[in-house]
Amino acid sequence: MTYDIDILLDFVSSLALVAILALAYGTLRRRFSGPTMAPVLLGFLFGTVTIIQMHTPLTPMEGLIIDMRNVPIALAGAFLGLRGLAVCLVMAMATRYGIGGVGWISGVAGMIVAGGAGLAWDRLTRQRSVRGARALMALGVVMCSHLVAAVLLPVDIAIWFLTVAAPPIVALNLVSVPLVGALLERERQLMAGETRLKASASTDPDTGLLTQAAFAREVSLASSAGRTSPVAGILIVGIGNRKDLAQLHGSEGLAQVSGALRHRLKSMITHCELLGQSDNGDILVPLLADEMTDRAEIETALRRGLTNCAIALPGGESARPTASVQLHTLSEGYGSRDIRKQLAKLPRPRPASARAQTPARPNRGASGIHHALFAKSERLARAIHG
């Protein structure tokens, strides 16, 4: 009885170690939204768990040693994509090769089969809105195909493996893969819901600017409608001293500055209803095809009109942003998805030149004294905040 409890505890501890991956999956996917960093980091984490599994095997009976190495590998293929699976596989295969033994070739082949099965399952089920219990059980079944690698073992060992070791391995797979897969799928659904909710919001509540997704959609629709000249470029207006303003006035003050700049832009351009905000906080100004010939003059006018203008903040404070402007030309025949992809790849606008950032010498008098006092207090605050 004690022996059975020890086996159960070993299985539960191995399963709990794999289940931790679900927590890391959601955390890293949210922290790193790009297509590269999160899969690579998660692949490294899945590979680490695989290595731990190989060094902490289960012993259900005398002479029978099995482990759950192929469970995280299959899950990596099912939820991390090709990049994450590749990182996980390289780590696992290198470790298995280092362990050596007569079965290392079979072990490596089994890992490749398990990862490939998970990747194929993902390709077949990706279009489903929800991958439920049946789909996850199917994943557990198809990943058991890694057992075919036993044919690479010597005949007597292969017969022993398939008749003695394979049944408990199949049982472990059919229990652990659907359970941990359900946790990973739950995180995937939560993130998909968060993405849809974020996309459904058309304006930023703090600045009143269109969100990046809404901006891309409205620009594409406005150009398709043909009521005006099509949008041929996007002016990206960045706040050069964003970090200083955030330190001095906080995130609410920075949002107030962006919202005030929106109102200033509305008085400077005709198609002000299409002003947007990128995911990194820059203001997006659509430029019509008719305006492209005068883009240099428009850039200069925007930079001069937005730089060092005093913006009143709650509590009697004021802020003086510095603006930098960068033009991005859109390719012909674009759609909203194309605009989002192009915006995601754009670098931040270069800071305005020193001449552009230097405020004009204030006039003597009440307003000049006010400006001078503000400049001194701002420099003092920057020194205090480091």
Side-chain angles (χ1 to χ4, degrees):
M1 182 69 178
T2 304
Y3 184 70
D4 293 339
I5 293 177
D6 291 339
I7 295 173
L8 180 61
L9 290 177
D10 288 342
F11 168 69
V12 171
S13 61
S14 296
L15 184 61
L17 180 62
V18 179
I20 292 175
L21 297 174
L23 178 61
Y25 177 79
T27 302
L28 291 178
R29 281 289 191 186
R30 290 180 176 89
R31 177 65 180 83
F32 303 99
S33 57
T36 302
M37 184 61 71
V40 169
L41 292 176
L42 285 168
F44 177 81
L45 187 60
F46 276 57
T48 301
V49 171
T50 302
I51 293 172
I52 295 174
Q53 294 288 354
M54 280 189 274
H55 287 89
T56 55
L58 304 175
T59 309
M61 63 181 64
E62 188 67 28
L64 177 58
I65 299 176
I66 59 176
D67 59 58
M68 297 170 59
R69 76 185 75 170
N70 288 307
V71 171
I73 293 176
L75 292 172
F79 290 94
L80 304 187
L82 187 57
R83 286 190 181 92
L85 174 62
V87 174
C88 178
L89 271 179
V90 168
M91 295 176 61
M93 291 189 297
T95 302
R96 184 62 189 91
Y97 173 77
I99 294 175
V102 68
W104 78 268
I105 296 178
S106 174
V108 168
M111 294 175 184
I112 296 174
V113 173
L119 195 63
W121 177 86
D122 178 51
R123 295 292 189 270
L124 293 173
T125 61
R126 182 177 297 176
Q127 301 303 322
R128 298 186 184 183
S129 57
V130 178
R131 300 187 289 197
R134 289 184 179 180
L136 294 170
M137 183 60 71
L139 174 60
V141 172
V142 298
M143 69 85 57
C144 289
S145 58
H146 71 85
L147 296 173
V148 301
V151 299
L152 299 176
L153 293 168
V155 176
D156 54 339
I157 299 179
I159 293 174
W160 174 88
F161 179 84
L162 292 174
T163 57
V164 179
I169 290 177
V170 170
L172 289 175
N173 290 343
L174 294 180
V175 172
S176 57
V177 171
L179 284 177
V180 181
L183 296 176
L184 291 168
E185 179 64 17
R186 177 179 177 274
E187 287 294 325
R188 193 182 74 91
Q189 291 298 321
L190 286 174
M191 288 185 289
E194 293 167 3
T195 302
R196 288 193 296 269
L197 183 61
K198 184 179 179 180
S200 65
S202 59
T203 58
D204 182 87
D206 296 322
T207 65
L209 294 162
L210 291 172
T211 63
Q212 182 168 303
F215 173 81
R217 181 183 65 246
E218 293 302 318
V219 165
S220 176
L221 292 175
S223 298
S224 300
R227 291 181 298 175
T228 60
S229 174
V231 176
I234 299 174
L235 288 175
I236 304 170
V237 181
I239 301 175
N241 57 344
R242 170 185 296 275
K243 185 177 180 180
D244 293 336
L245 293 176
Q247 289 178 345
L248 287 170
H249 309 293
S251 58
E252 292 184 0
L254 184 59
Q256 183 85 3
V257 170
S258 296
L261 291 181
R262 173 176 66 90
H263 280 278
R264 286 184 175 271
L265 285 168
K266 289 173 69 174
S267 63
M268 301 170 67
I269 60 175
T270 56
H271 37 281
C272 56
E273 74 281 358
L274 294 180
L275 293 177
Q277 179 173 264
S278 69
D279 290 340
N280 57 22
D282 296 325
I283 300 175
L284 306 174
V285 181
L287 205 60
L288 303 182
D290 297 341
E291 299 170 324
M292 291 294 286
T293 55
D294 302 324
R295 57 183 180 272
E297 290 80 0
I298 295 176
E299 288 184 43
T300 302
L302 291 181
R303 188 180 293 111
R304 289 178 177 175
L306 300 178
T307 295
N308 292 313
C309 56
I311 294 177
L313 299 177
E317 296 181 308
S318 62
R320 290 177 176 274
T322 59
S324 56
V325 183
Q326 174 182 319
L327 173 66
H328 173 68
T329 303
L330 295 174
S331 57
E332 295 183 3
Y334 58 81
S336 60
R337 180 176 298 180
D338 301 318
I339 297 176
R340 289 198 302 270
K341 289 181 178 179
Q342 293 179 48
L343 290 175
K345 297 178 181 178
L346 289 178
R348 294 295 301 273
R350 294 186 299 274
S353 63
R355 179 177 298 179
Q357 292 187 20
T358 302
R361 185 179 300 274
N363 295 326
R364 299 301 178 185
S367 68
I369 294 173
H370 172 76
H371 289 166
L373 289 175
F374 174 81
K376 290 182 180 179
S377 65
E378 188 175 35
R379 286 196 297 270
L380 178 61
R382 289 183 184 176
I384 293 174
H385 288 276

